[in-house]
Amino acid sequence: MKIKAPKGTADTFPPVSEEWERVGSIMAQRARCYGYGLIKTPVFERTELFTRSIGAATDIVKKEMYTFEDRAGRSMTLKPEETAPVVRAYIEHGLDKRPGLTKLYYMEPIFRYERPQSGRYRQHHQFGVEAIGSADPSLDAEVMRLLMDIYAVLGLEELVLRVNSVGCSSCRGAFREKLRDALSPALNLFCEDCRRRYGENPLRLFDCKNEKCRELLSDGPFIDDNLCEGCGSHFRRVLSLLELLDVPFVKDGKLVRGLDYYTRTTFEVVSGELGAQNAVGGGGRYDGLVELLGGRPTPCVGFGTGMERVLAVMKEQDLRCGMQGPPAVFLALLGDRPRERGLKLMYELRQAFIHADTDYFDGSLKAQLRQANKRGFRLVIIIGEEELAGKSAKIKDMLTGEEEKILLVEAVERIKAICS
Ligand code: HAM
């Protein structure tokens, strides 16, 4: 029996994998312009890191974690998100004891045991940033500006940024009670999940996808109308800075997000092209997380965006990434001695950062030209016995069909000139 990849995972080959690389490098380039540097963390962590930070009542912790015991009996989990590992690393390396801001970006595989469907996988990949060390509302606005900037550079259209504030622990505590009071008369009309959430954390009711429950919640109360003074003025400042930075947004009092560590600003970017799994990216502020994980109180804000979903929107909108791959040259080498000389030239071309390849199936010239054409090579260099005797090669331009004779010693420079 053939072994297949696990359900909800994917193998990615060229040209799609090349699009991934290009999209990833554009994202990283944009993040570096905003002052972020790359962080890499392990694929698995101690389970407690996630139960403590994401929240015991969340779907991720309750149903979606890939948890296992290692051979020494310790509970480990494949990371279901990247914010907690970044904060864990930040504290572990003593960065919380240094003044100033730490700005990090990542591109990491994420594991969630969800019911697979279009746009929802058991292994997906997130590009994200975390700005650790400041409560300044301009940082919230900057993080959202960066996210929208990335989408704009990739050419994505018709995305909507939804923004909310979920307040701090004090205004949220008071709001929970207010929400419970407001919903209790109609509680039996909600779904079973919501009735359970009502007891654990009533804010989670806003997460429900059930139409009837959403309808019951449509008149509020909403958290953004019930913020304490500090959170209220922080939120107003974030919104006015978004306007200043030309970031269009929609205020959405129902946006709570699926992770418990958020405080104050939360946001999500949705696309009309993605059906049910319409969130392309999301994030927010998590001012309590560093302290919760044993570090000094340190305010933070960040986002994560799903690579698979970004690429799906790009496909839907027929977008290609603007960046070009290296120029490509195919060497058609006919006979043993020409092949030896050609292999040397191929090595020199690669040293010059030119994508050079050849035929490994002993094909005829015709077959090799066909292969080069099919694989999209721009130039073909032909070396046979006759060319070798004259220390030369023929270059065929596959776009124009023109041929030119060149000296082998000048080949690299000539090819560079043609490709530039
Ligand atoms: P999240 O909203 O759970 O946030 O995930 C971020 C993004 O990852 C989503 O908007 C979506 O594009 C993508 N995504 C999530 N689950 C899946 C899935 N099963 N299949 C495909 N794509 C998926 C977080 O994880 C936070 N750590 C983001 C953050 C960073 N907040 C602050 N800093």
Side-chain angles (χ1 to χ4, degrees):
M1 197 178 74
K2 283 189 197 145
I3 299 172
K4 290 189 174 167
K7 208 169 148 192
T9 69
D11 303 307
T12 311
F13 290 94
V16 179
S17 55
E18 284 160 1
E19 192 71 355
W20 264 79
E21 268 189 303
R22 287 192 288 265
V23 169
S25 80
I26 285 180
M27 289 173 165
Q29 210 177 53
R30 293 315 299 152
R32 280 198 295 271
C33 288
Y34 282 71
Y36 292 81
L38 179 68
I39 179 169
K40 298 202 65 72
T41 67
V43 154
F44 61 96
E45 298 269 359
R46 286 186 176 262
T47 301
E48 195 193 346
L49 175 65
F50 301 115
T51 47
R52 244 207 272 171
S53 54
I54 298 172
T58 59
D59 280 354
I60 296 182
V61 168
K62 279 200 133 120
K63 315 186 228 175
E64 297 171 2
M65 296 211 299
Y66 280 89
T67 298
F68 58 96
E69 253 188 25
D70 72 5
R71 288 176 189 273
R74 288 170 295 227
S75 180
M76 299 288 171
T77 294
L78 297 182
K79 54 189 174 193
E81 65 103 46
E82 186 58 15
T83 306
V86 169
V87 169
R88 193 264 312 134
Y90 172 85
I91 299 166
E92 186 169 335
H93 297 278
L95 298 176
D96 60 325
K97 297 189 183 70
R98 288 190 213 158
L101 197 61
T102 303
K103 285 175 146 185
L104 299 165
Y105 76 85
Y106 50 80
M107 165 78 85
E108 295 282 332
I110 302 292
F111 307 88
R112 294 182 187 175
Y113 193 83
E114 296 192 85
R115 202 161 40 78
Q117 54 172 261
S118 170
R120 188 164 71 188
Y121 308 102
R122 290 188 173 162
Q123 175 176 334
H124 72 276
H125 297 77
Q126 275 187 31
F127 177 88
V129 307
E130 311 297 348
I132 309 176
S134 169
D136 190 329
S138 58
L139 209 49
D140 307 44
E142 184 190 286
V143 157
M144 287 184 261
R145 176 68 273 182
L146 167 57
L147 181 60
M148 298 314 280
D149 196 15
I150 284 173
Y151 296 145
V153 173
L154 293 172
L156 304 192
E157 285 173 3
E158 291 174 51
L159 298 179
V160 179
L161 170 68
R162 289 160 45 197
V163 188
N164 192 19
S165 173
V166 293
C168 60
S169 51
S170 98
C171 42
R172 210 158 40 211
F175 178 68
R176 271 195 202 107
E177 289 322 306
K178 183 168 179 176
L179 187 60
R180 277 201 183 100
D181 289 348
L183 301 181
S184 75
L187 189 59
N188 57 351
L189 301 176
F190 281 88
C191 72
E192 197 185 321
D193 257 0
C194 279
R195 290 203 298 275
R196 179 180 48 77
R197 289 179 181 136
Y198 177 89
E200 289 168 353
N201 177 2
L203 270 157
R204 289 259 143 266
L205 267 74
F206 288 107
D207 255 357
C208 188
K209 301 277 178 281
N210 185 318
E211 270 312 311
K212 194 167 159 220
C213 301
R214 295 182 83 79
E215 178 68 38
L216 288 166
L217 285 163
S218 60
D219 292 334
F222 303 117
I223 178 89
D224 61 325
D225 299 323
N226 290 276
L227 298 173
C228 67
E229 208 182 303
C231 292
S233 72
H234 187 273
F235 191 39
R236 284 191 295 278
R237 185 87 186 118
V238 171
L239 299 183
S240 76
L241 288 167
L242 283 176
E243 277 166 14
L244 181 89
L245 296 176
D246 293 325
V247 186
F249 65 88
V250 174
K251 212 159 132 300
D252 181 354
K254 286 187 264 194
L255 180 71
V256 290
R257 315 247 317 119
L259 306 112
D260 275 354
Y261 50 60
Y262 289 113
T263 54
R264 296 192 162 175
T265 314
T266 53
F267 56 90
E268 212 157 75
V269 180
V270 294
S271 160
E273 312 268 13
L274 290 180
Q277 303 306 316
N278 64 354
V280 207
R285 196 162 259 295
Y286 46 99
D287 291 344
L289 188 58
V290 177
E291 197 179 1
L292 184 76
L293 294 176
R296 295 195 181 162
T298 312
C300 318
V301 59
F303 69 72
T305 180
M307 285 297 285
E308 288 81 357
R309 292 195 190 168
V310 168
L311 285 155
V313 178
M314 288 179 71
K315 192 169 169 208
E316 220 36 67
Q317 298 184 352
D318 208 14
L319 298 167
R320 297 267 174 307
C321 207
M323 269 167 83
Q324 298 227 319
V329 178
F330 187 88
L331 290 97
L333 309 170
L334 308 160
D336 287 345
R337 280 189 342 115
R339 184 161 181 85
E340 276 179 17
R341 183 61 186 90
L343 291 180
K344 225 167 149 243
L345 174 59
M346 186 163 74
Y347 174 68
E348 287 162 10
L349 288 166
R350 288 170 175 171
Q351 290 292 94
F353 290 90
I354 291 170
H355 166 191
D357 218 333
T358 189
D359 168 67
Y360 298 96
F361 299 98
D362 211 8
S364 66
L365 178 60
K366 205 170 150 201
Q368 293 197 41
L369 287 174
R370 210 182 309 122
Q371 184 188 159
N373 192 34
K374 202 166 146 205
R375 290 171 62 191
F377 283 88
R378 159 83 198 278
L379 297 176
V380 177
I381 298 177
I382 303 165
I383 310 177
E385 291 292 352
E386 196 186 318
E387 284 77 20
L388 191 63
K391 297 192 166 110
S392 66
K394 251 190 263 165
I395 301 186
K396 187 177 170 75
D397 189 322
M398 300 299 274
L399 287 180
T400 61
E402 280 168 20
E403 282 189 12
E404 163 185 355
K405 191 171 162 186
I406 52 160
L407 284 176
L408 278 168
V409 285
E410 293 167 2
V412 175
E413 286 313 312
R414 181 71 194 118
I415 290 162
K416 269 200 214 156
I418 299 174
C419 293
S420 65

